Structure formats: C-alpha cells, structure tokens
Amino acid sequence: MKRLQNRIAEGGKTLPTAAAFGALVWLAVGLVQRQLWPQLACFVASVYLLVELSNQNALLRVRSRMVSSAFILLSCQSCFLFPQLTGAAVQLSFVASFILLFQTYQDQQSVGRVFYSFAAVGVASLFFVHALWYVPALWVLMGTQLQSLSVRTWLASLIGLATPYWLALVWLMVPWGGDFAQWTFNLQPMAEHFSELAHLHYQLPPYLLERGILLLFVLVLAAVGIMHFWSRSFEDKIRIRLLFGFFTTLTVLTAFFILAQPQHYDVLMRLLVLFASPLIAHVFTFTSSRLSSIFFFSAIAISVALTLLCLFLNSELGIHHL
C-alpha cells in the first residue's frame, strides 16, 4: 500500500516544491545583495545534472525526482556554504564527472568519456587540490563497480587529470597585457598549489557544534540509506547495485576525510551531500510502513528546522561562514 510518503517521493510536484524552497533560501542568504549569481549558477547546474544522472542510469526503479530533491533539501540546511564559489565549482565538477564516468559501464575502450570525466575532476582540483584524494578511489571503483578500468582508460584518466593543469600553466606563462616576447616560467603558484596536499595538520573549524550537528544528521540519513539499500538490493538490477556501491564507497570515504581533516569541512560537506543523496532518496522512495513515514516526515522537519537555524545565525549574528 502506498502511503503519503511514497506519493510525495513519486509525485511530479516534489522537485518544483524543493526548487521553490531552495530559491527562497538563496534569496534569504543574500543572493541579490551579495551578488551570488555564479554560485547559484553552479548550484542550478548541479541539480540539473543530478536529474540527468538519475534518469540516464535509472537510479530509482520508479519515476521519481527524489534524488535531486533530497540534494536540494540537504544543501539548503548548510546554506552558509552558498557564498563559497570553490565548493560550488567542486560539486558541479564531480557530478559532471559522474555523468560521463557512468557511461563507461563495462566498456574498457571508452577512453574519450574517461578522459573528459577525469578532466572534470582535474578542474575540481584546480579549485580544491584535495579533490585529488578521490582519484585512487575512482580508479578502484572503475575496476570493481563500473568494470571499465584498463590500461587505455587508466592512461586516459591520467591525461584528463593533467589537461586542466597544462592549460593553467599556459595561463601562468603568458604575460597578459605585457610583452609577449617575455614569456616566463614561474611555476611557484603551481608548486604552492600542490604543496597543500602535504599539509595534513588537524585543525577544527569554527562553530564546531553547528557544523557537527549538520554532519551528524547527514551521516545518520546516509547510514540508514546504506543499510536499507543493501538489505533490499536483490530487488534492483546488478548495474544499479554496482552504482550504489560506487556512491556508498564515496560517502564513507568522504565521511572519513571530514573526520580526518575537518579544516576542509566546507568543501567536503558539499561532496558528502552529493554522494549521499541517491542513498537517502532510495530509502525515502522504497519504504512503505508507518515507521518509515514517521522517519520521512521527521527528516524533512529536521532539515527545514536546520535550514531556518542556519538562516537565523546568518541574519541575527552576522555569521556568513559558520
């Protein structure tokens, strides 16, 4: 028997409602006053690509927009991150990478898609060099979950990762507005960029309680989603199980990164929301009991309450970066 929870999850008005809620939150954060248009553009593009990712791969075996709706709702409760362009660009780069990478399923000759997919990861690492932490995991997942890893695709991934840096080197070498006869080879900015990978000091971020509550809430939802999916995974096709194994691995890995390097919370939290959204959407869509309905509406209520709390802290206390 379908409950209200299931009708919402499969309803055509779920995504527009979530989008309207997200638009109000963006306006409340200061979209117009603070000129956050580039950040909003990245967010909207991420939502659109997440819709495409769900549709192309049939992540949910029914017609549902719950993946992108969960993404919007979980993003809004961390609305203090909206003004940060770095996190928005990294999030967009990863979802664009997945769009291409998932198309290589069981295709060890798909060097073109692998190249562009890892080029997107390379772009993410230009903004946030620690995105390179995910590269070994992506190689392992290509071999185990996507079954598309070969010598050719591995080499294509290396070239894709390097391509944004080749372009960046050209930008650094050219004396823009000066004498083009005096090209320089100043590699110091690039060296400083990569040196950040070696800085593994442990530093707690400010407003730890607020950040910790948001992290705990997302992790609880993700844990429930993971346990539910793998307890009922026999109902999905093998390909979907492998893709959800992909999301499960990245969710656990990101949680570990946040706990090990909490000073990078702001960017990693946006990636955690991205990776966990399909898992959370799955449990919301395919459970149908009184307990699951209580859990569903409680999760929505808590998420909205956390969003309002975040907006209150921004407006009343002037905290633009919690």
Side-chain angles (χ1 to χ4, degrees):
M1 180 184 69
K2 286 190 176 182
R3 295 178 176 269
L4 179 59
Q5 165 196 343
N6 306 110
R7 292 197 292 271
I8 292 174
E10 300 176 27
K13 297 181 180 179
T14 302
L15 181 57
T17 302
F21 176 75
L24 291 175
V25 173
W26 272 93
L27 289 171
V29 167
L31 171 64
V32 179
Q33 299 91 330
R34 302 169 70 181
Q35 296 295 297
L36 302 179
W37 304 109
Q39 294 90 326
L40 176 62
C42 288
F43 181 75
V44 171
S46 297
V47 172
Y48 172 75
L49 290 180
L50 201 53
V51 171
E52 289 298 313
L53 183 71
S54 181
N55 290 342
Q56 290 179 11
N57 298 280
L59 295 180
L60 304 178
R61 57 183 181 272
V62 296
R63 183 175 178 82
S64 174
R65 295 287 184 266
M66 202 61 207
V67 174
S68 48
S69 299
F71 173 78
I72 293 173
L73 202 62
L74 294 176
S75 297
C76 286
Q77 69 185 30
S78 301
C79 59
F80 64 94
L81 300 177
F82 284 175
Q84 301 176 20
L85 183 58
T86 295
V90 171
Q91 195 175 54
L92 175 59
S93 297
F94 266 89
V95 68
S97 174
F98 293 167
I99 284 275
L100 294 163
L101 196 59
F102 285 4
Q103 293 175 9
T104 69
Y105 177 69
Q106 291 187 336
D107 185 359
Q108 297 184 353
Q109 305 302 317
S110 187
V111 294
R113 289 188 176 91
V114 170
F115 167 82
Y116 289 113
S117 174
F118 277 83
V121 176
V123 170
S125 69
L126 283 176
F127 290 92
F128 177 64
V129 69
H130 299 89
L132 295 175
W133 286 342
Y134 289 95
V135 172
L138 291 176
W139 285 333
V140 172
L141 292 171
M142 283 178 63
T144 58
Q145 306 301 118
L146 301 180
Q147 302 170 21
S148 60
L149 185 65
S150 65
V151 174
R152 293 187 64 192
T153 55
W154 181 72
L155 291 175
S157 70
L158 288 178
I159 297 172
L161 282 172
T163 298
Y165 288 96
W166 292 340
L167 300 175
L169 282 174
V170 172
W171 179 271
L172 292 173
M173 289 166 54
V174 173
W176 300 103
D179 186 1
F180 279 83
Q182 299 179 351
W183 284 51
T184 61
F185 291 88
N186 181 16
L187 300 180
Q188 183 177 356
M190 197 66 70
E192 292 175 352
H193 179 71
F194 284 111
S195 69
E196 289 295 319
L197 286 173
H199 295 166
L200 298 178
H201 61 285
Y202 189 90
Q203 180 180 345
L204 294 175
Y207 304 100
L208 184 62
L209 177 61
E210 292 83 352
R211 281 180 161 88
I213 292 173
L214 293 172
L215 175 62
L216 180 62
F217 180 62
V218 175
L219 288 180
V220 168
L221 292 181
V224 173
I226 290 171
M227 290 186 291
H228 171 264
F229 178 82
W230 293 110
S231 67
R232 307 292 299 178
S233 61
F234 61 88
E235 297 177 351
D236 287 288
K237 297 179 180 179
I238 294 177
R239 184 173 186 271
I240 302 303
R241 292 180 222 166
L242 293 173
L243 294 183
F244 271 84
F246 189 101
F247 288 120
T248 299
T249 302
L250 291 182
T251 298
V252 173
L253 188 62
T254 304
F256 170 77
F257 286 157
I258 293 176
L259 296 176
Q261 294 286 280
Q263 65 269 25
H264 302 303
Y265 174 98
D266 289 0
V267 178
L268 293 174
M269 185 64 177
R270 298 186 77 141
L271 291 179
L272 179 65
V273 167
L274 173 64
F275 302 150
S277 290
L279 298 164
I280 296 169
H282 194 278
V283 68
F284 284 165
T285 304
F286 296 116
T287 53
S288 182
S289 66
R290 183 179 179 183
L291 181 61
S292 70
S293 293
I294 294 173
F295 176 71
F296 174 74
F297 289 109
S298 298
I300 292 177
I302 293 172
S303 184
V304 171
L306 289 174
T307 302
L308 295 176
L309 175 62
C310 181
L311 291 173
F312 171 78
L313 292 175
N314 273 270
S315 61
E316 296 297 324
L317 304 181
I319 301 172
H320 298 301
H321 299 286
L322 285 179

